[in-house]
Coordinates of all heavy atoms in Angstrom, one line a residue:
Chain T
F139 N 75.0 72.2 30.5 CA 73.6 71.9 30.5 C 72.8 72.8 31.5 O 73.3 73.1 32.6 CB 73.3 70.5 30.9 CG 73.8 69.5 29.8 CD1 73.7 68.1 30.1 CD2 74.2 69.9 28.6 CE1 74.2 67.2 29.1 CE2 74.6 69.0 27.6 CZ 74.6 67.6 27.9
G140 N 71.6 73.2 31.1 CA 70.7 73.9 32.0 C 69.7 72.9 32.5 O 69.7 71.7 32.2
P141 N 68.7 73.4 33.2 CA 67.6 72.5 33.8 C 66.9 71.7 32.7 O 66.6 70.6 32.9 CB 66.7 73.5 34.5 CG 67.4 74.7 34.7 CD 68.5 74.8 33.7
S142 N 66.7 72.3 31.5 CA 65.9 71.6 30.5 C 66.7 70.4 30.0 O 66.2 69.3 29.8 CB 65.6 72.5 29.3 OG 66.8 72.9 28.6
E143 N 68.1 70.5 29.8 CA 68.9 69.4 29.4 C 68.9 68.3 30.5 O 68.9 67.1 30.3 CB 70.3 69.8 29.0 CG 70.4 70.6 27.7 CD 70.1 72.0 27.8 OE1 69.9 72.5 29.0 OE2 70.0 72.7 26.8
L144 N 69.1 68.8 31.7 CA 69.2 67.9 32.9 C 67.9 67.1 33.0 O 67.8 65.9 33.4 CB 69.5 68.6 34.2 CG 71.0 69.1 34.2 CD1 71.2 69.9 35.5 CD2 72.0 68.0 34.2
F145 N 66.7 67.8 32.8 CA 65.4 67.1 32.8 C 65.4 66.0 31.7 O 65.0 64.9 32.0 CB 64.3 68.1 32.6 CG 63.0 67.4 32.1 CD1 62.3 66.6 33.0 CD2 62.6 67.5 30.8 CE1 61.2 65.9 32.6 CE2 61.5 66.8 30.4 CZ 60.8 66.0 31.3
A146 N 65.9 66.4 30.5 CA 65.8 65.5 29.4 C 66.7 64.2 29.7 O 66.2 63.1 29.5 CB 66.3 66.1 28.1
I147 N 67.8 64.5 30.3 CA 68.7 63.3 30.7 C 68.1 62.4 31.8 O 68.1 61.2 31.7 CB 70.1 63.8 31.0 CG1 70.8 64.3 29.8 CG2 70.9 62.7 31.6 CD1 72.0 65.1 30.0
S148 N 67.5 63.1 32.8 CA 66.9 62.3 33.8 C 65.7 61.6 33.3 O 65.4 60.5 33.7 CB 66.6 63.1 35.1 OG 65.8 64.3 34.7
F149 N 65.0 62.2 32.4 CA 63.8 61.5 31.8 C 64.3 60.3 31.0 O 63.5 59.3 30.9 CB 63.1 62.5 30.9 CG 61.8 62.0 30.3 CD1 60.7 61.6 31.1 CD2 61.6 61.8 28.9 CE1 59.6 61.1 30.6 CE2 60.4 61.3 28.4 CZ 59.4 60.9 29.3
M150 N 65.5 60.4 30.4 CA 66.0 59.2 29.7 C 66.1 58.0 30.6 O 65.9 56.9 30.2 CB 67.4 59.6 29.1 CG 67.8 58.7 28.0 SD 69.3 59.3 27.3 CE 69.5 58.1 26.0
G151 N 66.5 58.3 31.9 CA 66.5 57.2 32.9 C 65.2 56.6 33.0 O 65.0 55.4 33.2
L152 N 64.1 57.4 33.0 CA 62.8 56.9 33.1 C 62.3 56.2 31.9 O 61.4 55.3 31.9 CB 61.8 58.0 33.5 CG 61.9 58.6 34.9 CD1 61.0 59.8 35.0 CD2 61.5 57.6 35.9
S153 N 62.8 56.7 30.7 CA 62.3 56.1 29.4 C 62.5 54.7 29.3 O 61.9 54.0 28.4 CB 62.8 56.9 28.3 OG 64.2 56.7 28.2
I154 N 63.5 54.1 30.0 CA 63.8 52.7 29.9 C 62.8 51.8 30.6 O 62.8 50.6 30.6 CB 65.2 52.3 30.3 CG1 65.5 52.8 31.7 CG2 66.2 52.9 29.4 CD1 65.3 51.9 32.8
L155 N 61.8 52.5 31.3 CA 60.8 51.7 32.0 C 60.1 50.6 31.2 O 59.9 49.5 31.6 CB 59.7 52.7 32.5 CG 59.9 53.4 33.8 CD1 58.7 54.3 34.1 CD2 60.1 52.5 35.0
T156 N 59.8 51.0 29.9 CA 59.1 50.0 29.1 C 60.0 48.8 28.7 O 59.6 47.8 28.2 CB 58.6 50.7 27.8 OG1 59.6 51.4 27.2 CG2 57.4 51.6 28.1
S157 N 61.4 49.1 28.8 CA 62.3 48.0 28.4 C 62.6 47.1 29.5 O 63.3 46.0 29.3 CB 63.6 48.6 27.9 OG 63.4 49.7 27.1
L158 N 62.3 47.4 30.8 CA 62.7 46.6 31.9 C 62.0 45.2 31.9 O 62.7 44.3 32.3 CB 62.2 47.4 33.2 CG 63.1 48.5 33.7 CD1 62.5 49.1 35.0 CD2 64.6 48.0 34.0
E159 N 60.8 45.2 31.5 CA 60.1 43.9 31.4 C 59.2 43.9 30.2 O 58.0 44.3 30.3 CB 59.3 43.7 32.7 CG 59.4 42.3 33.2 CD 58.6 42.1 34.5 OE1 58.7 42.9 35.4 OE2 57.8 41.1 34.6
T160 N 59.7 43.5 29.1 CA 59.0 43.8 27.8 C 57.7 43.0 27.7 O 56.8 43.4 26.9 CB 59.9 43.5 26.6 OG1 60.5 42.2 26.8 CG2 60.9 44.5 26.3
D161 N 57.6 41.9 28.4 CA 56.3 41.2 28.3 C 55.3 41.6 29.4 O 54.3 40.9 29.6 CB 56.6 39.6 28.4 CG 57.4 39.3 29.5 OD1 58.0 40.2 30.2 OD2 57.6 38.1 29.8
N162 N 55.6 42.6 30.1 CA 54.8 43.1 31.2 C 54.8 44.6 31.3 O 55.0 45.2 32.4 CB 55.3 42.4 32.5 CG 54.3 42.6 33.7 OD1 53.2 42.9 33.5 ND2 54.8 42.4 34.9
I163 N 54.7 45.3 30.1 CA 55.0 46.7 30.0 C 54.0 47.5 30.9 O 54.4 48.4 31.6 CB 54.9 47.1 28.6 CG1 56.2 46.6 27.8 CG2 54.9 48.7 28.4 CD1 56.2 46.8 26.4
C164 N 52.7 47.2 30.8 CA 51.7 48.0 31.5 C 52.0 48.1 33.0 O 52.0 49.2 33.6 CB 50.3 47.5 31.2 SG 49.0 48.5 31.8
R165 N 52.2 46.9 33.6 CA 52.4 46.9 35.1 C 53.7 47.6 35.4 O 53.8 48.2 36.5 CB 52.4 45.4 35.6 CG 51.1 44.8 35.5 CD 51.1 43.4 36.2 NE 49.9 42.6 36.0 CZ 49.9 41.6 35.1 NH1 50.9 41.3 34.4 NH2 48.8 40.9 34.9
T166 N 54.7 47.5 34.5 CA 56.0 48.1 34.8 C 55.8 49.6 34.8 O 56.4 50.4 35.6 CB 57.1 47.7 33.8 OG1 57.0 46.3 33.7 CG2 58.4 48.2 34.1
I167 N 55.0 50.1 33.8 CA 54.8 51.6 33.8 C 54.0 52.0 35.0 O 54.4 53.1 35.6 CB 54.0 51.9 32.5 CG1 54.9 51.7 31.3 CG2 53.4 53.4 32.5 CD1 54.2 51.9 29.9
I168 N 53.0 51.3 35.4 CA 52.3 51.6 36.7 C 53.2 51.7 37.9 O 53.2 52.6 38.7 CB 51.1 50.6 37.0 CG1 50.1 50.6 35.9 CG2 50.5 50.9 38.3 CD1 49.0 49.5 35.9
S169 N 54.2 50.7 37.9 CA 55.1 50.7 39.0 C 56.0 51.9 39.0 O 56.3 52.6 40.1 CB 56.0 49.5 39.0 OG 55.3 48.3 38.7
G170 N 56.5 52.3 37.8 CA 57.3 53.5 37.7 C 56.6 54.7 38.1 O 57.1 55.6 38.8
L171 N 55.3 54.8 37.6 CA 54.5 56.0 38.0 C 54.3 56.1 39.5 O 54.3 57.2 40.0 CB 53.2 56.0 37.2 CG 53.3 56.2 35.7 CD1 52.0 55.9 34.9 CD2 53.7 57.7 35.4
L172 N 54.1 54.9 40.1 CA 53.8 54.9 41.5 C 55.1 55.4 42.3 O 55.0 56.2 43.2 CB 53.5 53.5 42.0 CG 52.9 53.3 43.3 CD1 51.6 54.0 43.5 CD2 52.7 51.8 43.7
G173 N 56.2 55.0 41.7 CA 57.5 55.5 42.3 C 57.6 57.0 42.2 O 58.0 57.7 43.1
L174 N 57.2 57.6 41.0 CA 57.2 59.0 40.8 C 56.3 59.7 41.7 O 56.6 60.8 42.3 CB 56.9 59.3 39.3 CG 57.9 59.1 38.3 CD1 57.3 59.3 36.9 CD2 59.1 60.0 38.4
L175 N 55.1 59.1 42.0 CA 54.1 59.7 42.9 C 54.6 59.7 44.3 O 54.5 60.7 45.0 CB 52.8 58.9 42.8 CG 51.6 59.5 43.6 CD1 51.1 60.7 42.9 CD2 50.5 58.5 43.7
L176 N 55.3 58.6 44.7 CA 55.8 58.5 46.1 C 56.9 59.6 46.3 O 57.0 60.2 47.4 CB 56.4 57.2 46.4 CG 55.4 56.0 46.5 CD1 56.2 54.7 46.8 CD2 54.5 56.3 47.7
A177 N 57.6 59.9 45.2 CA 58.7 60.9 45.3 C 58.1 62.3 45.4 O 58.8 63.3 45.9 CB 59.6 60.9 44.0
C178 N 56.8 62.5 45.1 CA 56.1 63.8 45.3 C 55.7 64.1 46.7 O 55.4 65.2 47.1 CB 54.8 63.8 44.5 SG 55.1 63.8 42.7
I179 N 55.7 63.0 47.6 CA 55.3 63.2 49.0 C 56.3 64.0 49.7 O 57.5 63.8 49.6 CB 55.1 61.8 49.6 CG1 53.9 61.1 48.9 CG2 54.8 61.9 51.1 CD1 53.7 59.7 49.4
G180 N 55.9 64.9 50.5 CA 56.8 65.8 51.4 C 56.7 67.2 50.9 O 55.8 67.6 50.3
L181 N 57.7 68.0 51.3 CA 57.8 69.4 51.0 C 58.0 69.5 49.5 O 58.9 68.9 48.9 CB 58.8 70.1 51.8 CG 58.6 70.3 53.3 CD1 59.7 71.0 53.9 CD2 57.3 71.0 53.5
D182 N 57.3 70.4 48.8 CA 57.5 70.7 47.4 C 58.9 71.2 47.2 O 59.3 72.1 47.9 CB 56.4 71.7 46.9 CG 56.7 72.1 45.5 OD1 56.5 71.3 44.6 OD2 57.1 73.3 45.4
P183 N 59.7 70.7 46.2 CA 61.1 71.1 46.1 C 61.3 72.6 45.8 O 62.4 73.1 46.1 CB 61.6 70.2 45.0 CG 60.4 69.7 44.2 CD 59.3 69.6 45.2
L184 N 60.3 73.2 45.2 CA 60.5 74.6 44.8 C 59.8 75.6 45.7 O 60.3 76.6 46.1 CB 60.1 74.9 43.4 CG 60.9 74.1 42.3 CD1 60.5 74.6 40.9 CD2 62.4 74.2 42.4
L185 N 58.6 75.3 46.1 CA 57.8 76.2 46.9 C 57.9 75.9 48.4 O 57.6 76.8 49.2 CB 56.3 76.1 46.5 CG 55.9 76.4 45.1 CD1 54.4 76.2 44.8 CD2 56.3 77.8 44.7
G186 N 58.3 74.7 48.8 CA 58.5 74.4 50.2 C 57.2 74.2 50.9 O 57.2 74.2 52.2
V187 N 56.1 74.0 50.2 CA 54.8 73.7 50.9 C 54.6 72.2 51.0 O 55.0 71.5 50.1 CB 53.6 74.4 50.2 CG1 53.6 75.9 50.4 CG2 53.6 74.0 48.7
P188 N 53.9 71.7 52.0 CA 53.7 70.2 52.1 C 52.8 69.8 51.0 O 51.8 70.4 50.7 CB 53.0 70.1 53.5 CG 53.0 71.4 54.2 CD 53.3 72.4 53.2
R189 N 53.1 68.6 50.5 CA 52.3 68.1 49.3 C 52.1 66.6 49.6 O 53.0 65.8 49.9 CB 53.1 68.3 48.0 CG 52.4 67.8 46.8 CD 53.1 68.2 45.6 NE 54.5 67.6 45.5 CZ 55.3 67.8 44.5 NH1 55.0 68.6 43.5 NH2 56.5 67.3 44.5
L190 N 50.8 66.2 49.4 CA 50.4 64.7 49.6 C 50.9 64.2 50.9 O 51.3 63.0 51.0 CB 51.0 63.9 48.5 CG 50.3 64.0 47.1 CD1 51.2 63.3 46.0 CD2 48.9 63.4 47.1
T191 N 50.8 65.0 52.0 CA 51.2 64.5 53.3 C 50.0 64.0 54.1 O 50.2 63.5 55.2 CB 51.9 65.6 54.1 OG1 51.1 66.8 54.1 CG2 53.3 66.0 53.5
F192 N 48.8 64.3 53.6 CA 47.6 63.8 54.2 C 47.5 64.3 55.7 O 47.0 63.6 56.5 CB 47.4 62.3 54.1 CG 47.5 61.8 52.7 CD1 48.7 61.2 52.2 CD2 46.5 61.9 51.8 CE1 48.8 60.8 50.9 CE2 46.6 61.5 50.5 CZ 47.7 60.9 50.0
G193 N 48.0 65.5 55.9 CA 47.9 66.1 57.2 C 48.8 65.5 58.3 O 48.7 65.8 59.5
T194 N 49.7 64.5 58.0 CA 50.5 64.0 59.0 C 51.9 64.6 58.9 O 52.5 64.7 57.8 CB 50.5 62.4 58.9 OG1 51.7 62.0 59.7 CG2 50.7 61.9 57.5
R195 N 52.5 64.8 60.1 CA 53.9 65.4 60.1 C 54.9 64.4 59.7 O 56.0 64.8 59.2 CB 54.2 65.9 61.6 CG 53.8 67.3 61.8 CD 54.4 67.9 63.1 NE 54.2 67.0 64.2 CZ 55.2 66.5 64.9 NH1 56.4 66.8 64.6 NH2 55.0 65.7 66.0
L196 N 54.6 63.1 59.9 CA 55.6 62.1 59.5 C 56.0 62.1 58.1 O 57.1 61.7 57.7 CB 55.0 60.7 59.9 CG 54.9 60.3 61.3 CD1 54.2 59.0 61.5 CD2 56.3 60.1 61.9
L197 N 55.1 62.5 57.2 CA 55.3 62.5 55.8 C 55.9 63.8 55.3 O 56.3 63.9 54.1 CB 54.1 62.2 55.0 CG 53.5 60.8 55.1 CD1 52.2 60.6 54.4 CD2 54.5 59.8 54.6
T198 N 56.1 64.8 56.1 CA 56.5 66.1 55.7 C 57.9 66.1 55.1 O 58.2 66.8 54.1 CB 56.5 67.2 56.9 OG1 55.3 67.0 57.5 CG2 56.7 68.6 56.4
S199 N 58.8 65.2 55.7 CA 60.2 65.2 55.1 C 60.2 64.2 53.9 O 61.3 63.9 53.4 CB 61.1 64.8 56.2 OG 60.7 63.6 56.8
G200 N 59.1 63.7 53.5 CA 59.1 62.8 52.3 C 59.4 61.4 52.7 O 59.6 61.0 53.8
I201 N 59.4 60.5 51.6 CA 59.6 59.1 51.8 C 61.1 58.9 51.8 O 61.8 59.2 50.8 CB 58.9 58.3 50.7 CG1 57.4 58.5 50.7 CG2 59.3 56.8 50.8 CD1 56.6 57.7 51.7
E202 N 61.6 58.4 52.9 CA 63.1 58.1 53.0 C 63.4 56.9 52.0 O 62.8 55.9 52.1 CB 63.4 57.8 54.4 CG 64.9 57.8 54.7 CD 65.5 59.2 54.6 OE1 65.0 60.2 55.2 OE2 66.5 59.3 53.9
M203 N 64.3 57.2 51.1 CA 64.6 56.2 50.1 C 65.2 54.9 50.6 O 64.8 53.8 50.2 CB 65.4 56.8 49.0 CG 64.7 57.5 47.9 SD 65.6 58.0 46.5 CE 66.5 59.5 47.1
I204 N 66.2 55.0 51.4 CA 67.0 53.8 51.8 C 66.1 52.8 52.6 O 66.1 51.6 52.2 CB 68.2 54.2 52.7 CG1 69.2 54.8 51.7 CG2 68.9 53.0 53.4 CD1 70.6 55.2 52.2
P205 N 65.3 53.1 53.6 CA 64.4 52.1 54.2 C 63.5 51.4 53.1 O 63.2 50.2 53.2 CB 63.6 52.9 55.2 CG 64.4 54.1 55.5 CD 65.2 54.4 54.3
V206 N 63.0 52.3 52.2 CA 62.1 51.7 51.2 C 62.8 50.7 50.3 O 62.4 49.6 50.1 CB 61.5 52.8 50.3 CG1 60.7 52.2 49.2 CG2 60.6 53.7 51.1
M207 N 64.0 51.1 49.9 CA 64.8 50.1 49.1 C 65.2 48.9 49.8 O 65.1 47.8 49.3 CB 66.1 50.8 48.6 CG 65.9 51.9 47.6 SD 67.5 52.6 47.2 CE 67.0 53.9 46.0

Side-chain angles (χ1 to χ4, degrees):
Chain T
F139 290 172
S142 65
E143 286 84 5
L144 289 174
F145 159 71
I147 289 168
S148 51
F149 185 63
M150 200 171 181
L152 287 174
S153 67
I154 53 95
L155 277 179
T156 50
S157 321
L158 281 177
E159 219 178 314
T160 45
D161 51 350
N162 193 16
I163 291 174
C164 187
R165 292 190 190 101
T166 310
I167 290 176
I168 296 172
S169 316
L171 289 168
L172 195 62
L174 285 174
L175 186 71
L176 289 178
C178 293
I179 295 173
L181 290 180
D182 172 69
L184 299 189
L185 302 178
V187 287
R189 184 172 60 179
L190 284 170
T191 54
F192 306 101
T194 162
R195 267 193 314 121
L196 284 174
L197 291 174
T198 313
S199 57
I201 300 277
E202 197 64 54
M203 276 189 278
I204 288 184
V206 173
M207 287 181 184

